[in-house]
């Protein structure tokens, strides 16, 4: 029996709902849904912003209103859940939450929803992003050592390889494709993690984010910024991985993997 995990940066959950999120979710038939950039506080949430009846969830909001925020919804039984990565300023920005779900074949699997900061607004945010990345490497080592099959889902704000970006030559000095950011991805995978989409689609050039400037989406001039990075035991169970470019809910596209 298989189960499907989907991750999506909604770029504002209220906006995504207005664009058809409530109708899209049941059609996508995911069993676990990770979301980033909710941009909502608890008191702002209405029925369409909450998981459907019978689903469990975990959410971490930013202290700053209208900013960041992550969540995970699951129709599979949730055994544990929590928030934060242990880095104070990042936790105040609501960038990480996790749950352990009871999957049909493997039993407990840790699912992490993460929204890695962008560095595109300037040197300060880039330095904060770099701090987050270094801190995260220590956390990912701990998750690996725990022995629990784990998948890290979300918007990494990094295009790893040249195949993951429309115009690599002109973006070599752009945040999100800087050499040290791409090297960080190499270091993460060297720990033993697997980029599940790329493992399932070694040669496929497809993107998960497009700029709102110009005609980037229409011309498919995008970046692959959204990932499911899994421990080898879980990655080996991936039957199919896909990016649904036509979902139309956000400037990002949902990334899904079916695990057996």
């Amino acid at each position: 029996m298989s189960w499907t995990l989907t991750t999506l940066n909604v770029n504002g959950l209220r906006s995504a709902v207005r664009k058809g999120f409530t109708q899209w979710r049941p059609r996508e038939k995911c069993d676990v849904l990770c979301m980033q950039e909710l941009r909502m506080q608890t008191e702002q949430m209405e029925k369409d912003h909450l998981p459907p009846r019978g689903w469990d969830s975990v959410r971490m909001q930013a202290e700053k209103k209208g900013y960041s925020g992550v969540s995970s919804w699951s129709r599979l039984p949730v055994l544990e859940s929590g928030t934060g990565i242990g880095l104070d300023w990042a936790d105040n920005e609501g960038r990480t939450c996790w749950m352990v779900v009871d999957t049909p074949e493997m039993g407990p699997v840790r699912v992490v929803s993460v929204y890695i900061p962008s560095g595109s607004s300037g040197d300060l945010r880039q330095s904060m992003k770099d701090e987050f990345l270094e801190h995260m490497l220590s956390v990912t080592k701990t998750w690996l050592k725990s022995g629990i099959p784990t998948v890290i889902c979300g918007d990494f704000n990094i295009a790893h390889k040249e195949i993951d970006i429309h115009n690599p030559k002109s973006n070599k000095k752009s945040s999100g494709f800087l050499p040290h950011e791409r090297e960080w991805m190499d270091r993460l995978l060297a720990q033993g993690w697997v980029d599940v989409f790329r493992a399932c689609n070694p040669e496929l050039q497809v993107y998960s984010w497009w700029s709102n400037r110009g005609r980037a989406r229409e011309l498919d001039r995008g970046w692959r910024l959204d990932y499911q990075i899994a421990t080898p035991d879980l990655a080996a169970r991936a039957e199919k991985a896909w990016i649904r470019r036509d979902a139309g809910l956000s400037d990002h596209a949902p990334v899904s993997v079916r695990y057996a």
Side-chain angles (χ1 to χ4, degrees), residues 34-123:
C34 292
M35 292 177 285
Q36 303 84 42
E37 207 170 354
L38 302 181
R39 298 187 190 173
M40 290 192 75
Q41 309 298 111
T42 300
E43 63 272 16
Q44 297 173 305
M45 291 198 160
E46 300 177 359
K47 180 181 177 182
D48 287 342
H49 308 128
L50 299 171
R53 183 179 299 175
W55 287 53
D56 287 321
S57 66
V58 60
R59 181 172 61 88
M60 189 178 199
Q61 66 187 30
E63 290 183 351
K64 179 181 177 181
K65 288 187 176 181
Y67 185 74
S68 191
V70 292
S71 182
S72 293
W73 297 0
S74 175
R75 75 171 191 85
L76 302 178
V78 175
L79 307 177
E80 295 179 64
S81 63
T83 60
I85 199 174
L87 185 61
D88 287 346
W89 66 262
D91 292 344
N92 292 340
E93 291 185 355
R95 293 194 173 273
T96 316
C97 66
W98 58 270
M99 54 172 56
V100 177
V101 299
D102 191 8
T103 64
E105 297 296 331
M106 292 192 75
V109 170
R110 182 191 290 113
V111 179
V112 181
S113 181
V114 62
Y115 179 31
I116 292 178
S118 169
S120 60
S121 64
D123 292 343

Side-chain angles (χ1 to χ4, degrees), residues 10 26 49 65 72 92 99 131 133 178 193 199 203 214:
V10 294
H49 308 128
K65 288 187 176 181
S72 293
N92 292 340
M99 54 172 56
E131 181 185 8
L133 294 176
L178 296 172
W193 298 90
E203 305 298 331

Side-chain angles (χ1 to χ4, degrees), residues 145-157:
K145 290 178 181 177
S146 73
I148 301 174
T150 298
V151 54
I152 308 166
C153 306
D155 179 0
F156 278 46
N157 267 310

Side-chain angles (χ1 to χ4, degrees), residues 84 97 100 148 154 168 215 244 252 258:
C97 66
V100 177
I148 301 174
R215 299 162 58 202
R244 201 172 298 283
H252 290 253
R258 185 171 68 234

Side-chain angles (χ1 to χ4, degrees), residues 208-251:
S208 68
W209 175 80
W210 299 264
S211 169
N212 289 319
R213 291 176 292 183
R215 299 162 58 202
R217 192 159 197 148
E218 178 187 346
L219 299 173
D220 200 22
R221 295 172 177 170
W223 303 43
R224 187 171 73 99
L225 299 179
D226 303 85
Y227 296 82
Q228 294 193 30
I229 305 289
T231 50
D233 48 359
L234 181 57
R237 290 178 171 267
E239 294 182 327
K240 181 182 179 182
W242 65 97
I243 298 175
R244 201 172 298 283
R245 182 177 181 271
D246 60 354
L249 303 171
S250 166
D251 54 349

